[in-house]
Amino acid sequence: MRFSLSATALVSGLAGLSLTSAHAVMDAVYVNGQPLGQGTALRVTKNNDLRVHYIASLESNDMACGRDGDEGVSRSAAIKGNDVLTFQWTSMKKKDNFPESHNGACSIMMKKVDDATTAKGSGDGWFRIFYEGYNKETKKWCTTRIMNGGMLSVRVPADLATGNYLVRSELLSLHNAHNNDPQFYVSCLQAVMTNGGTAVPKDTVALPSDEYAKKGTPSMKINLFWPPDNSLNYKDYGPPTYVASGPGGDGPVVEQTTGLRPTDAIFEEGNFHAFEIPTFTDAKECWAAHENCWEQSNDCYHAVLANNARCETWASKCKATGKICDKRGPFPGPVDAGKDMSPPLPKVDVPEPINDAGVTNSSVDNTESDEADESDEADEADETSSDSSPPSPSPASAPPPDEAGSDSEYGSGSDDSSDDKSGDETDSSSTTVDAEASSPSSSGVDGADKSLVTPAAESSCIEVVTETVTETATTTVRAQR
């Protein structure tokens, strides 16, 4: 019995494969090359099972800052106009970068808010400071920039008005867009711009909104694999990119008053803070302090994106206290009371910024000034110009984190996996994408041999070469998921 597969059907089927292990999350941000700390000031879902999943519904509020993105965290980063922000993406379990198969666009957006620690991400007011889709000169998608290290650096416009902002990093994977399944990966940094200018960009959009992204539109539905070079036909989406028109520095200097590390904290890991345990002068008080220490330790292991190895530093204090309690001295305690126990943050090399959002001579002016109104003539020019239970008190052992035995170096963020998973539900054309995308029925390859999907697909891209010989030509089609 002989079977035949059309080249386009084969390409479509294999391109639609989507493995859960290939998803990603933004886990860290660097300011001018200096690390904020893993998860610090980032809005990331508390549901560990969904953390690396894309936003399936373009109509969900999750489109703004991801799942749980309307809920603020305790910390905000201090930034200035013209600073370079580096966004780090990882698949978590492998501690690698954005998956190679997920070609698509990148976008960095900002939204001015009253207080970054409490403001909702969803709603209007979002403007773009960087965007790149398909580069026709290099013939590469923006996401390829972060497939070697997982980092994307962007310069903050120098003249933006000082104050609180949400900074949104977005990656749009289009590898399954031909199945009406554009995959958005988004997260937000909470920031306070302490020094800048007075500019307030006018070209803003609401998130979510059809104006920004809608399924079925040319930007959201494209086949990257067939016909060849179809990426050249990609239609960019979203508002024009804001470009600074001045050096900044003319705005009021703002002192950060929210999102700061608590002054009495002696340990910090991400958005988690630990505080000195109660003083003790006898064994009974010692065991009470020991219990307090382990309670805080447990909170560290469960903090969103917390690094388990760093939480061990705090756990060492609990173990040392337990030994003192067992030996009934020496009292009083705790030992080294008030000493900061936060391990130094690792420094890494970050890439150079890929935009020119600092000072520029661009004639495009799509801003409003806090100090003066623009003339009607300037407004007309703007419209026509655009820019594309505690552990038992024993010192012998520490209570293990829930993630023990996992191949992840991160804390779980939550031990409740029953959170609302509606964000993974899509319309009838893309429900349970990971399962359907690999099935012959959803890919248009009826009766295709499933042996084509080998175990190696879990760790590497799939390349299939199909050769069809006709009387006049031999056609070779290569498809890479």
Side-chain angles (χ1 to χ4, degrees), residues 12 18 32 53 89 96 102 115 133 157 175 177 194 214 227 239 244 249 259 261 304 310 338 360 391 405 407 433 473:
S12 177
S18 178
N32 297 324
H53 285 227
W89 289 84
D96 56 6
H102 288 29
D115 183 348
H175 68 289
T194 59
K214 182 180 181 180
R261 170 177 169 164
V304 176
R310 291 175 61 85
T360 128
D407 57 351
V433 172

Short mmCIF file of all heavy atoms in Angstrom, two decimals, residues 12 18 32 53 89 96 102 115 133 157 175 177 194 214 227 239 244 249 259 261 304 310 338 360 391 405 407 433 473:
data_model
loop_
_atom_site.label_atom_id
_atom_site.label_comp_id
_atom_site.label_asym_id
_atom_site.label_seq_id
_atom_site.Cartn_x
_atom_site.Cartn_y
_atom_site.Cartn_z
N SER A 12 2.65 21.97 7.20
CA SER A 12 1.64 22.48 8.12
C SER A 12 1.54 21.64 9.37
O SER A 12 1.47 22.15 10.48
CB SER A 12 0.28 22.53 7.42
OG SER A 12 -0.73 22.96 8.30
N SER A 18 3.59 21.66 19.10
CA SER A 18 3.89 22.59 20.18
C SER A 18 4.06 21.81 21.46
O SER A 18 3.12 21.23 21.97
CB SER A 18 2.76 23.62 20.34
OG SER A 18 3.03 24.48 21.40
N ASN A 32 20.83 48.71 33.42
CA ASN A 32 22.21 49.10 33.07
C ASN A 32 23.20 48.00 33.43
O ASN A 32 24.31 48.26 33.92
CB ASN A 32 22.59 50.41 33.77
CG ASN A 32 21.72 51.57 33.32
OD1 ASN A 32 21.34 51.65 32.16
ND2 ASN A 32 21.41 52.46 34.25
N HIS A 53 3.29 29.09 30.30
CA HIS A 53 2.33 28.96 29.21
C HIS A 53 2.02 30.32 28.58
O HIS A 53 2.05 31.36 29.23
CB HIS A 53 1.02 28.33 29.71
CG HIS A 53 1.13 26.85 29.95
ND1 HIS A 53 0.19 25.96 29.50
CD2 HIS A 53 2.06 26.11 30.58
CE1 HIS A 53 0.54 24.74 29.84
NE2 HIS A 53 1.68 24.80 30.51
N TRP A 89 14.51 35.91 29.46
CA TRP A 89 13.48 34.88 29.30
C TRP A 89 14.10 33.50 29.44
O TRP A 89 15.23 33.27 29.02
CB TRP A 89 12.82 35.01 27.93
CG TRP A 89 11.93 36.20 27.81
CD1 TRP A 89 12.30 37.48 27.51
CD2 TRP A 89 10.52 36.23 28.01
NE1 TRP A 89 11.21 38.30 27.51
CE2 TRP A 89 10.10 37.56 27.81
CE3 TRP A 89 9.57 35.26 28.34
CZ2 TRP A 89 8.77 37.95 27.94
CZ3 TRP A 89 8.24 35.64 28.46
CH2 TRP A 89 7.84 36.97 28.26
N ASP A 96 17.22 27.64 30.21
CA ASP A 96 17.76 28.05 28.93
C ASP A 96 16.96 29.25 28.42
O ASP A 96 16.25 29.90 29.18
CB ASP A 96 17.75 26.89 27.94
CG ASP A 96 16.36 26.30 27.76
OD1 ASP A 96 15.37 26.85 28.32
OD2 ASP A 96 16.25 25.29 27.07
N HIS A 102 10.14 28.94 18.15
CA HIS A 102 9.08 29.93 18.33
C HIS A 102 9.42 31.28 17.69
O HIS A 102 9.60 32.29 18.37
CB HIS A 102 8.79 30.10 19.82
CG HIS A 102 8.09 28.93 20.44
ND1 HIS A 102 8.25 27.64 19.99
CD2 HIS A 102 7.22 28.84 21.48
CE1 HIS A 102 7.51 26.82 20.73
NE2 HIS A 102 6.87 27.53 21.64
N ASP A 115 0.66 54.26 41.04
CA ASP A 115 1.48 53.44 41.93
C ASP A 115 1.65 52.07 41.28
O ASP A 115 0.69 51.32 41.12
CB ASP A 115 0.80 53.29 43.31
CG ASP A 115 1.64 52.50 44.31
OD1 ASP A 115 2.65 51.88 43.91
OD2 ASP A 115 1.30 52.50 45.51
N GLY A 133 9.53 42.99 14.15
CA GLY A 133 8.90 41.77 13.66
C GLY A 133 9.89 40.97 12.84
O GLY A 133 10.86 40.44 13.37
N PRO A 157 13.25 55.61 26.64
CA PRO A 157 13.28 56.97 26.10
C PRO A 157 13.70 57.97 27.17
O PRO A 157 13.19 57.96 28.29
CB PRO A 157 11.84 57.19 25.65
CG PRO A 157 11.33 55.82 25.34
CD PRO A 157 11.98 54.92 26.35
N HIS A 175 4.77 30.41 15.28
CA HIS A 175 5.03 29.11 14.65
C HIS A 175 3.75 28.31 14.41
O HIS A 175 3.72 27.42 13.57
CB HIS A 175 6.01 28.29 15.50
CG HIS A 175 5.45 27.84 16.82
ND1 HIS A 175 5.22 28.71 17.85
CD2 HIS A 175 5.08 26.61 17.26
CE1 HIS A 175 4.73 28.03 18.89
NE2 HIS A 175 4.63 26.76 18.54
N ALA A 177 0.70 30.05 14.04
CA ALA A 177 -0.28 31.07 13.66
C ALA A 177 -1.14 30.64 12.48
O ALA A 177 -2.28 31.10 12.34
CB ALA A 177 0.43 32.38 13.34
N THR A 194 12.77 57.89 38.29
CA THR A 194 13.11 58.96 39.22
C THR A 194 13.66 60.21 38.54
O THR A 194 13.67 61.28 39.12
CB THR A 194 14.13 58.46 40.25
OG1 THR A 194 15.31 58.01 39.56
CG2 THR A 194 13.56 57.29 41.06
N LYS A 214 -5.97 40.86 17.26
CA LYS A 214 -7.21 40.12 17.05
C LYS A 214 -6.94 38.91 16.18
O LYS A 214 -6.29 39.01 15.14
CB LYS A 214 -8.25 41.02 16.38
CG LYS A 214 -9.60 40.34 16.16
CD LYS A 214 -10.58 41.29 15.48
CE LYS A 214 -11.94 40.63 15.29
NZ LYS A 214 -12.90 41.55 14.62
N PRO A 227 4.08 29.43 1.71
CA PRO A 227 5.20 29.17 0.80
C PRO A 227 6.52 29.72 1.32
O PRO A 227 6.53 30.50 2.28
CB PRO A 227 4.76 29.91 -0.47
CG PRO A 227 3.89 31.00 0.03
CD PRO A 227 3.14 30.43 1.19
N PRO A 239 0.64 49.95 18.03
CA PRO A 239 0.83 51.39 17.83
C PRO A 239 2.24 51.70 17.34
O PRO A 239 3.14 50.86 17.44
CB PRO A 239 0.60 51.97 19.23
CG PRO A 239 1.07 50.87 20.14
CD PRO A 239 0.65 49.60 19.47
N ALA A 244 12.12 59.27 21.55
CA ALA A 244 12.39 60.49 22.32
C ALA A 244 12.80 61.62 21.39
O ALA A 244 13.52 61.42 20.42
CB ALA A 244 13.47 60.23 23.35
N GLY A 249 15.81 64.97 31.35
CA GLY A 249 16.47 65.66 32.46
C GLY A 249 15.77 66.93 32.87
O GLY A 249 16.16 67.57 33.86
N GLY A 259 7.28 50.49 46.66
CA GLY A 259 8.01 49.40 46.03
C GLY A 259 9.42 49.23 46.53
O GLY A 259 10.25 48.58 45.87
N ARG A 261 12.50 48.03 49.27
CA ARG A 261 12.79 46.94 50.19
C ARG A 261 12.51 47.43 51.60
O ARG A 261 12.94 48.53 51.98
CB ARG A 261 14.25 46.51 50.06
CG ARG A 261 14.71 45.55 51.15
CD ARG A 261 16.13 45.09 50.94
NE ARG A 261 16.63 44.39 52.12
CZ ARG A 261 17.71 43.62 52.14
NH1 ARG A 261 18.41 43.43 51.03
NH2 ARG A 261 18.10 43.02 53.25
N VAL A 304 7.12 33.34 44.45
CA VAL A 304 7.14 33.23 42.99
C VAL A 304 8.55 33.47 42.45
O VAL A 304 9.18 34.48 42.75
CB VAL A 304 6.16 34.24 42.37
CG1 VAL A 304 6.25 34.21 40.86
CG2 VAL A 304 4.74 33.94 42.82
N ARG A 310 19.20 30.02 46.94
CA ARG A 310 19.33 31.24 47.74
C ARG A 310 18.49 31.15 49.01
O ARG A 310 18.87 31.68 50.04
CB ARG A 310 18.95 32.45 46.90
CG ARG A 310 19.94 32.76 45.79
CD ARG A 310 19.48 33.88 44.89
NE ARG A 310 19.31 35.13 45.61
CZ ARG A 310 20.29 36.00 45.87
NH1 ARG A 310 21.52 35.75 45.44
NH2 ARG A 310 20.05 37.11 46.53
N GLY A 338 20.27 41.09 63.24
CA GLY A 338 20.21 42.24 62.36
C GLY A 338 21.15 42.20 61.17
O GLY A 338 21.12 43.10 60.33
N THR A 360 17.39 61.36 20.00
CA THR A 360 17.42 61.17 18.55
C THR A 360 17.05 62.47 17.87
O THR A 360 16.48 63.37 18.47
CB THR A 360 16.44 60.07 18.11
OG1 THR A 360 15.63 60.55 17.09
CG2 THR A 360 15.60 59.58 19.18
N PRO A 391 7.67 23.02 61.02
CA PRO A 391 8.44 21.80 61.24
C PRO A 391 8.71 21.57 62.71
O PRO A 391 8.72 22.49 63.51
CB PRO A 391 9.75 22.07 60.48
CG PRO A 391 9.85 23.55 60.45
CD PRO A 391 8.44 24.05 60.34
N GLY A 405 13.30 17.57 44.50
CA GLY A 405 13.23 16.50 43.53
C GLY A 405 12.86 16.97 42.14
O GLY A 405 12.94 16.24 41.19
N ASP A 407 13.29 19.25 38.69
CA ASP A 407 14.45 19.68 37.93
C ASP A 407 14.46 21.20 37.81
O ASP A 407 15.27 21.76 37.11
CB ASP A 407 14.48 19.03 36.54
CG ASP A 407 13.22 19.30 35.75
OD1 ASP A 407 12.26 19.84 36.33
OD2 ASP A 407 13.21 18.97 34.56
N VAL A 433 -4.32 23.36 22.45
CA VAL A 433 -3.41 23.49 21.31
C VAL A 433 -2.31 22.46 21.32
O VAL A 433 -1.99 21.85 20.30
CB VAL A 433 -2.81 24.91 21.29
CG1 VAL A 433 -1.73 25.00 20.23
CG2 VAL A 433 -3.90 25.92 21.04
N ALA A 473 10.88 18.44 -12.53
CA ALA A 473 11.65 19.06 -11.44
C ALA A 473 11.59 18.21 -10.18
O ALA A 473 10.75 17.35 -10.04
CB ALA A 473 11.11 20.46 -11.13
#
